Amino acid sequence: MSRYTHVIGSRSYRFADLRELLAKATPLRAGDCLAGIAAASSEERVAAQMALADLPLTTFLNEALIPYEEDEVTRLIVDSHDGAAFHAIRHLTVGGFRDWLLADATDDAALARLAPGVTPEMAAAVSKIMRIQDLVLVARKCRVVTRFRGTVGLPGTLSTRLQPNHPLDDPSGIAASLLDGLLYGSGDAVIGINPATDNVPQVMRILVMLDEVIARHAIPTQSCVLTHVTNTLAAIERGAPVDLVFQSIAGTQAANASFGIDLKLLAEARQAALALGRGTVGNNVMYFETGQGSALSSGAHHGVDQQTCEARAYAVARAYEPLLVNTVVGFIGPEYLYDGKQITRAGLEDHFCGKLLGLPMGCDVCYTNHAEADQDDMDVLLTMLGVAGCTYIMGVPGADDIMLNYQTTSFHDALYARRVLGLNPAPEFEAWLRAMRIAEHEDGSPLRLGPGIPPAFQGALLRLD
């Protein structure tokens, strides 16, 4: 008989192994139903959650969801685990771990010390028995600060990725969106472009263009072209001004192979970027994106639920000390996260798990037009993430990415979150906004935009073509 058992009334629920227990304990989402691993009823889900709550945390050190011999992500998780850091919670069950995280005595310093001792599976497990308010409260206590040309993740800040995508990679179109974003105080996390034409020469053209803008106006931010890591390596070899190396990552070796990457390649890319020495206040040079459902969509989930697979991706990210990580929470579609309720829960789970593991966690608060979601759902998630201390969000003109064809957050959305929650951009970027007369500021108050276009910007950015 399985040791993973829980009795409700006269019915006994048995779960074959840890993998099934985690899957059945996961709050309802479309991807797990698609994979055939979700709980068959709400009662079975509750039984699994109660059995999971009683499980000792040490179980996750003794039972691998994907065999060590078959998966390099599993090997990374096991080999990098910090037993000394784990000692503080070694005696706890999953339920006891939840109580420990929520306790007032568990502060940001305690959570920072703990992070190397938490495995992704532990983080995923405890999130499955937490309410949304629990996820928010604990994530808010986690403080992860990273640096390149600016300092990201400080208390009282919310950063943004300025995303001036264009379906033709037109320099004038990119410049118009770039200027628009800067005038709304967006871009302190990164100016990141998804190229429409994804080849090395085009990547280099965009990198040079962004580098010229940043240098001309001494903007304390970093640029990134979201191309495949091998393209970025080739661009570095040809002398391109690369700030950050981007790559989409997943939580299993097979899923990463479907992206055309492995851990050795990521390490090579990080070393190449570090060798350029382009950071001024720090050397966090990697930028990773993830998303629940990526392992399932590539047939590489090994029967593991999508949220636990997502948490395992954070172990990959953690190994390379990134400047930025974000979950593109609703981008894959309703096959994996069906509606606004599922997207909201997933976004807050991902943010919690990433922060608990020590990552500078952001979120692309987004949905596709065939999902049962709308901008009201995104407003709810954005607000909750802001309260939870989210590191950064996306900034796209009008919240509608005309190149990627999905709905995300706009420059105005970032202003809303900063104003209602009393948050500001990264300090170096904030000082630059004031110096450029883009923004006004009174001590102790949130940043306020100034009137009109500053003289230094009038026509300057639009001459890029």
Side-chain angles (χ1 to χ4, degrees):
M1 184 176 73
S2 171
R3 62 194 177 104
Y4 303 118
T5 303
H6 189 81
V7 178
I8 296 180
S10 60
R11 183 166 182 179
S12 179
Y13 288 91
R14 296 181 176 86
F15 308 97
D17 52 25
L18 182 57
R19 182 166 51 191
E20 182 181 4
L21 178 65
L22 287 169
K24 295 293 178 68
T26 307
L28 180 65
R29 62 208 56 201
D32 292 338
C33 295
L34 182 66
I37 59 175
S41 66
S42 296
E43 187 175 86
E44 184 182 28
R45 183 172 299 108
V46 169
Q49 290 170 340
M50 295 179 77
L52 183 60
D54 290 337
L55 195 70
L57 287 176
T58 51
T59 305
F60 296 97
L61 303 180
N62 301 319
E63 186 173 338
L65 301 183
I66 304 172
Y68 183 94
E69 298 77 15
E70 299 176 11
D71 186 88
E72 68 173 357
V73 177
T74 298
R75 292 194 290 276
L76 172 67
I77 292 167
V78 172
D79 296 346
S80 63
H81 183 251
D82 188 329
F86 179 64
H87 183 75
I89 59 170
R90 184 178 183 86
H91 60 291
L92 296 176
T93 62
V94 174
F97 185 30
R98 171 188 173 273
D99 294 341
W100 185 89
L101 289 170
L102 291 169
D104 289 341
T106 304
D107 57 12
D108 58 343
L111 290 166
R113 290 192 298 269
L114 176 69
V118 179
T119 70
E121 292 85 356
M122 293 176 195
V126 73
S127 75
K128 295 176 192 297
I129 63 168
M130 297 175 87
R131 295 169 56 185
I132 279 181
Q133 67 174 245
D134 299 338
L135 299 172
V136 170
L137 191 155
V138 177
R140 185 176 179 84
K141 293 196 289 185
C142 296
R143 228 1 111 180
V144 183
V145 179
T146 55
R147 296 174 174 87
F148 189 76
R149 289 200 191 98
T151 305
V152 180
L154 289 170
T157 65
L158 174 65
S159 294
T160 60
R161 168 188 160 190
L162 175 47
Q163 189 170 314
N165 294 342
H166 193 278
L168 299 176
D169 287 340
D170 176 67
S172 293
I174 291 172
S177 294
L178 179 52
L179 173 61
D180 193 22
L182 290 171
L183 292 175
Y184 279 103
S186 186
D188 53 329
V190 64
I191 301 173
I193 294 179
N194 300 86
T197 306
D198 195 7
N199 57 58
V200 176
Q202 181 65 358
V203 167
M204 293 183 67
R205 280 191 288 271
I206 297 174
L207 284 169
V208 169
M209 179 186 73
L210 293 177
D211 185 58
E212 289 176 352
V213 172
I214 290 172
R216 182 189 307 165
H217 298 287
I219 309 172
T221 190
Q222 36 283 329
S223 69
C224 185
V225 175
L226 282 69
T227 185
H228 193 271
V229 63
T230 53
N231 286 342
T232 304
L233 275 170
I236 290 174
E237 292 170 359
R238 298 184 193 183
V242 172
D243 291 340
L244 304 184
V245 175
F246 168 81
Q247 184 55 50
S248 295
I249 57 172
T252 71
Q253 179 177 335
N256 283 324
S258 74
F259 291 152
I261 63 166
D262 58 22
L263 302 185
K264 181 180 178 182
L265 179 61
L266 294 178
E268 179 186 350
R270 178 172 180 266
Q271 289 304 313
L274 285 172
L276 298 179
R278 292 176 58 82
T280 56
V281 299
N283 60 0
N284 298 112
V285 296
M286 303 299 283
Y287 172 19
F288 296 118
E289 286 189 347
T290 66
Q292 288 195 28
S294 59
L296 176 57
S297 66
S298 60
H301 62 105
H302 298 273
V304 178
D305 68 271
Q306 68 181 44
Q307 191 249 334
T308 302
C309 281
E310 171 73 4
R312 284 169 56 94
Y314 304 152
V316 175
R318 183 168 62 175
Y320 304 99
E321 300 178 14
L323 179 75
L324 305 167
V325 180
N326 73 269
T327 169
V328 192
V329 65
F331 183 73
I332 299 181
E335 301 87 349
Y336 305 95
L337 295 169
Y338 179 73
D339 56 17
K341 181 179 176 66
Q342 292 187 17
I343 292 171
T344 297
R345 171 83 196 188
L348 292 166
E349 286 171 349
D350 295 349
H351 179 254
F352 162 85
C353 288
K355 292 282 284 295
L356 188 61
L357 292 168
L359 289 176
M361 211 58 205
C363 184
D364 190 343
V365 181
C366 64
Y367 66 101
T368 57
N369 286 316
H370 62 310
E372 289 295 320
D374 58 27
Q375 208 63 44
D376 285 344
D377 296 308
M378 299 305 103
D379 286 349
V380 170
L381 177 54
L382 170 62
T383 304
M384 296 302 292
L385 284 168
V387 173
C390 186
T391 301
Y392 73 108
I393 60 171
M394 306 302 116
V396 174
D400 185 0
D401 193 308
I402 59 173
M403 203 279 280
L404 295 176
N405 291 314
Y406 77 115
Q407 310 303 311
T408 179
T409 45
S410 70
F411 309 139
H412 297 79
D413 293 325
L415 286 179
Y416 149 76
R418 285 172 175 167
R419 286 171 178 166
V420 77
L421 297 172
L423 303 172
N424 281 315
E428 299 88 349
F429 194 79
E430 179 187 340
W432 178 83
L433 290 171
R434 294 201 311 269
M436 292 295 290
R437 294 168 53 192
I438 294 172
E440 301 169 340
H441 187 269
E442 297 177 2
D443 290 342
S445 64
L447 199 71
R448 295 176 56 190
L449 296 179
I453 298 178
F457 269 15
Q458 289 178 7
L461 289 177
L462 299 180
R463 291 197 295 269
L464 292 174
D465 55 346

